[in-house]
Amino acid sequence: MPDIDLDLEPAIERMGDKELFLEIAHSFAATLPRILTDLDGKLMEGSLADARRLAHSLKSNCAAMGAESVRAMAYAVEKACTDNDGALAREHFNTLKPYIESLQQRLSALA
């Protein structure tokens, strides 16, 4: 599983409270498998507008968690969907997926 950088201090500062950050991080981690499944399904269907919305939301949440490199990968999926390039979106999704799985593990393990 790939290693990801999490810049937690600024993320916690933006939320103003470590306990709140941890609560949101654990909740977000719990939703990641469903988000991956939904995004994969929309890409398989060719529903690029729906896939773009999912990728956009994922991108925003990754940014809030301090996962900048993963945010950038989610943006690549979003941009490919915006450009109506399903093949490129799928390629970026396949690159993104193991990083999301790693992010889920990292966020779930935060204490």
Side-chain angles (χ1 to χ4, degrees), residues 21-93:
F21 172 81
L22 290 174
E23 181 181 326
I24 292 170
H26 292 152
S27 177
F28 178 53
T31 67
L32 284 171
R34 182 187 48 78
I35 291 169
L36 279 180
T37 299
D38 291 350
L39 183 52
D40 186 31
K42 294 303 180 186
L43 290 171
M44 295 279 282
E45 293 170 6
S47 300
L48 295 182
D50 291 334
R52 183 197 60 76
R53 283 189 286 279
L54 288 167
H56 177 81
S57 177
L58 179 61
K59 175 191 76 174
S60 299
N61 287 320
C62 287
M65 294 294 105
E68 182 57 32
S69 61
V70 183
R71 183 216 58 83
M73 288 181 225
Y75 173 71
V77 175
E78 177 187 9
K79 176 82 168 87
C81 290
T82 299
D83 294 343
N84 207 33
D85 190 338
L88 184 59
R90 166 60 58 191
E91 185 179 317
H92 287 312
F93 173 79

